[in-house]
Amino acid sequence: KAGVTQTPRYLIKTRGQQVTLSCSPISGHRSVSWYQQTPGQGLQFLFEYFSETQRNKGNFPGRFSGRQFSNSRSEMNVSTLELGDSALYLCASSWLVAAGANVLTFGAGSRLTVL
Amino acid sequence: KNEVEQSPQNLTAQEGEFITINCSYSVGISALHWLQQHPGGGIVSLFMLSSGKKKHGRLIATINIQEKHSSLHITASHPRDSAVYICAVGETSGSRLTFGEGTQLTVNP
């Protein structure tokens, strides 16, 4: 069965622009969680969605937002991009809510470069 | 002090050696995860455990809840095991994951 699909895989933006990243979970998985990975900060939890509702949010500014659709696909948006937003953005899906307490399947990531 | 500490940060081994990576955490958890990340970024979940020990092939993960410590062991290491190994803990609420800094493992033939 298909894995977790993230699009786009690579993108380049300039400061001040906004970006939308997409994540399609494994069929049947209803939880999607998002993570940011940078060389300086490592992996950090952004947020988790389950049944179209945000269940938890990490310590990121309001420029980072997300949503989940009825088919469990999720998008995250970053507005007013800053250089420090350059990172690998990963999503993961699981059957149940509470990403930290369930086996996760990760996507390949979207690598964002902000110039 | 980070909530999740891994050691060592870097590890170089010869093929066939027994490898241990350690993870200590300071918060209450619902589960602990061991993840593997290869160059290019893709992450694979190796184990999720909340007590005891799990084994999958040459990989073994243990956790001691009282001591807030987990270990990942690789027996008979192979160059294809070269990757970054990341420990992550799920908060007691279950939702948020907190990650260690990772251990870069290089296994030489």
Side-chain angles (χ1 to χ4, degrees):
Chain A
K1 72 184 169 182
V4 178
T5 303
Q6 289 190 246
T7 57
R9 289 294 313 280
Y10 302 91
L11 66 167
I12 300 174
K13 294 285 187 178
T14 56
R15 280 179 296 175
Q17 288 187 311
Q18 72 164 5
V19 66
T20 299
L21 309 177
S22 178
C23 175
S24 293
I26 287 176
S27 179
H29 283 193
R30 295 167 61 194
S31 168
V32 174
S33 49
W34 288 90
Y35 307 88
Q36 182 198 62
Q37 186 176 35
T38 61
Q41 298 295 320
L43 271 162
Q44 298 182 86
F45 171 83
L46 278 159
F47 26 64
E48 180 187 12
Y49 286 87
F50 183 85
S51 293
E52 302 178 63
T53 302
Q54 187 180 90
R55 299 295 173 144
N56 206 339
K57 186 172 172 24
N59 298 323
F60 281 83
R63 300 185 297 108
F64 291 81
S65 63
R67 59 179 175 168
Q68 187 179 34
F69 302 94
S70 59
N71 62 357
S72 295
R73 189 178 71 85
S74 177
E75 290 181 346
M76 68 162 283
N77 183 275
V78 187
S79 62
T80 318
L81 284 166
E82 301 176 359
L83 295 178
D85 297 332
S86 295
L88 179 66
Y89 291 88
L90 291 150
C91 76
S93 73
S94 62
W95 286 104
L96 301 172
V97 70
N102 290 284
V103 176
L104 300 176
T105 303
F106 285 84
S110 293
R111 189 168 294 279
L112 170 66
T113 301
V114 182
L115 302 176
Chain B
K1 188 181 191 302
N2 292 334
E3 292 179 343
V4 182
E5 299 270 356
Q6 279 186 243
S7 64
Q9 286 190 310
N10 294 282
L11 181 55
T12 300
Q14 289 299 120
E15 184 173 355
E17 286 185 0
F18 181 85
I19 288 163
T20 296
I21 300 171
N22 295 299
C23 176
S24 297
Y25 54 93
S26 57
V27 297
I29 68 170
S30 57
L32 183 142
H33 301 249
W34 281 103
L35 309 171
Q36 180 193 58
Q37 186 172 33
H38 281 282
I43 291 179
V44 174
S45 176
L46 299 175
F47 296 103
M48 186 191 74
L49 63 167
S50 54
S51 65
K53 175 180 172 178
K54 288 190 176 182
K55 184 176 188 291
H56 181 71
R58 297 179 295 107
L59 274 59
I60 302 166
T62 64
I63 188 169
N64 185 316
I65 296 296
Q66 287 72 33
E67 295 185 3
K68 295 187 175 179
H69 181 269
S70 177
S71 293
L72 175 68
H73 306 286
I74 305 175
T75 62
S77 59
H78 191 277
R80 64 175 175 267
D81 297 327
S82 298
V84 176
Y85 292 83
I86 302 168
C87 170
V89 299
E91 291 183 352
T92 306
S93 68
S95 192
R96 187 184 306 207
L97 273 176
T98 302
F99 297 87
E101 293 184 353
T103 296
Q104 174 68 63
L105 171 65
T106 303
V107 181
N108 295 317

